Amino acid sequence: MIEFDNVTKVYRPLLGRAVRAVEDFSLRIEPGEVLGLAGPNGAGKSTLIALLLGYLHPTSGRVTIDGRPPRQYVERVGIGYLSELVAITPHWTLEGALQRFAILAGITDGELRAHVERVIARLGLEEHRAKKVKHLSKGNLQRLGLAQALLRDDVIMIFDEPTHGLDPVWTQNFRELVDELRRPDRVLFVASHNLDELERIADRVVIIDHGRVRRTVDMRRPDAHTIASRYRLGVAEGHEHVTSIFPDARRLDDWHFEITARDASSLNEALATLIARGTRITELTPAYAGLERHFREAVSERQPRSE
């Protein structure tokens, strides 16, 4: 469905040195997939999205969507898109903004109201429909951005930092929305700094840095969610025994330690010994979630770029 084939994008300013935002980037995204994109600031995520939308052309290589150049696909078929920064004319009302977006999206007069009402209901915006955009909270503005991206029910949807500004309730609602949007013929492309969110919703996560793919993590594999060897241990009593059982334990405060274990068996054996000595454990959580571990390893492996 979507293919990046050895894509490089170089920005060449009139003054100063050229910047390679994307370099030798290859990726194929199949129909039915939720693809996550993660990377540190300046990794090239925004450039990749601009290439995918046809706003930019690659310096070398090729980007295609269903065999077509991106801009041609966008103009003939359309893509649902939520930008990282939701900027909408401040004096429009929420409902008026969605009506305008629906017209721009080519939705016919006969279907326009139904589409607008559908997304207002799905994003819980009924009580805000008459408010001007400038009076919306950050979270409600983000939900308005999501609503406009869903107006046409496109086959390809791109979400750039979709949970930015959302409270925990609506962050959970976004996860449910992704599940609702899954279809065998649809691609959902989600770029986010929220690794926990990507771990929950994505089928694969591509980790990039300096414009290159550093690692692709298949979240459907059981080992993708394995925990790093570091854990946060909370104890209510018997904390004096922790360092004798875990010699390299690092004390975080009076009742919390960071411990390490080679594997699940050694961890369980050590904890059993700790409990047998009278320690009361109140908390055991991984120091880093599975995807965070992959992210840290991938970014630490990066090599300096030479021009």
Side-chain angles (χ1 to χ4, degrees):
M1 169 76 67
I2 297 174
E3 187 164 9
F4 292 85
D5 184 11
N6 294 318
V7 172
T8 293
K9 177 61 182 177
V10 181
Y11 294 108
R12 300 187 184 278
L14 293 176
L15 299 174
R17 34 192 314 251
V19 176
R20 291 179 177 271
V22 173
E23 190 166 8
D24 295 330
F25 184 91
S26 293
L27 176 69
R28 182 174 178 83
I29 310 172
E30 302 292 347
E33 187 170 18
V34 179
L35 191 285
L37 182 68
N41 292 331
K45 298 188 298 297
S46 296
T47 297
L48 285 172
I49 290 174
L51 289 166
L52 184 54
L53 291 167
Y55 295 153
L56 296 174
H57 297 289
T59 304
S60 63
R62 188 176 64 155
V63 184
T64 57
I65 304 176
D66 202 21
R68 306 178 188 179
R71 201 66 218 158
Q72 185 184 107
Y73 182 93
V74 171
E75 291 172 353
R76 295 186 182 182
V77 181
I79 287 178
Y81 172 51
L82 170 68
S83 62
E84 180 178 6
L85 298 176
V86 179
I88 300 173
T89 304
H91 65 265
W92 289 355
T93 65
L94 183 149
E95 184 175 6
L98 287 172
Q99 290 172 347
R100 288 173 170 88
F101 286 128
I103 292 170
L104 289 172
I107 297 172
T108 63
D109 291 343
E111 296 180 336
L112 187 146
R113 177 157 293 280
H115 282 254
V116 170
E117 291 300 321
R118 173 178 58 82
V119 296
I120 285 178
R122 181 59 189 86
L123 274 299
L125 294 169
E126 293 93 339
E127 64 181 293
H128 306 292
R129 65 167 69 230
K131 288 183 181 178
K132 290 186 176 180
V133 169
K134 64 182 178 181
H135 294 144
L136 295 176
S137 68
K138 188 174 184 179
N140 288 334
L141 181 62
Q142 187 73 1
R143 285 154 62 190
L144 172 56
L146 280 166
Q148 68 79 26
L150 302 179
L151 276 167
R152 293 199 340 158
D153 200 34
D154 290 293
V155 171
I156 295 177
M157 295 185 177
I158 301 172
F159 301 115
D160 193 356
E161 301 295 344
T163 58
H164 180 69
L166 296 183
D167 61 30
V169 171
W170 273 99
T171 297
Q172 174 61 39
N173 283 339
F174 177 74
R175 297 171 196 157
E176 296 170 359
L177 178 62
V178 169
D179 286 339
E180 293 173 14
L181 292 172
R182 284 180 179 272
R183 281 190 344 213
D185 64 335
R186 173 175 281 153
V187 166
L188 300 179
F189 186 102
V190 184
S192 179
H193 285 102
N194 189 333
L195 299 178
D196 179 65
E197 202 60 40
L198 291 180
E199 184 164 3
R200 291 169 183 266
I201 65 174
D203 299 316
R204 285 190 300 156
V205 176
V206 175
I207 300 170
I208 64 170
D209 192 20
H210 286 178
R212 289 181 177 270
V213 176
R214 300 298 174 180
R215 185 171 298 190
T216 300
V217 185
D218 189 340
M219 303 310 302
R220 296 162 294 194
R221 289 173 54 95
D223 60 352
H225 300 272
T226 56
I227 305 305
S229 60
R230 298 166 68 183
Y231 298 82
R232 177 184 169 94
L233 174 70
V235 296
E237 295 176 4
H239 59 276
E240 66 274 11
H241 301 303
V242 173
T243 52
S244 62
I245 303 301
F246 296 96
D248 56 354
R250 183 169 67 92
R251 193 162 195 153
L252 303 176
D253 55 40
D254 286 345
W255 308 107
H256 293 89
F257 299 81
E258 187 173 283
I259 61 173
T260 61
R262 294 189 309 275
D263 50 42
S265 295
S266 61
L267 174 64
N268 279 274
E269 290 172 7
L271 292 174
T273 303
L274 197 60
I275 293 169
R277 292 190 181 182
T279 300
R280 185 151 60 95
I281 296 173
T282 59
E283 177 188 350
L284 182 69
T285 55
Y288 307 116
L291 184 57
E292 185 177 357
R293 173 175 59 85
H294 285 289
F295 183 90
R296 285 170 173 267
E297 292 174 355
V299 172
S300 68
E301 291 166 0
R302 69 190 180 193
Q303 298 296 320
R305 178 185 306 164
S306 58
E307 190 64 45

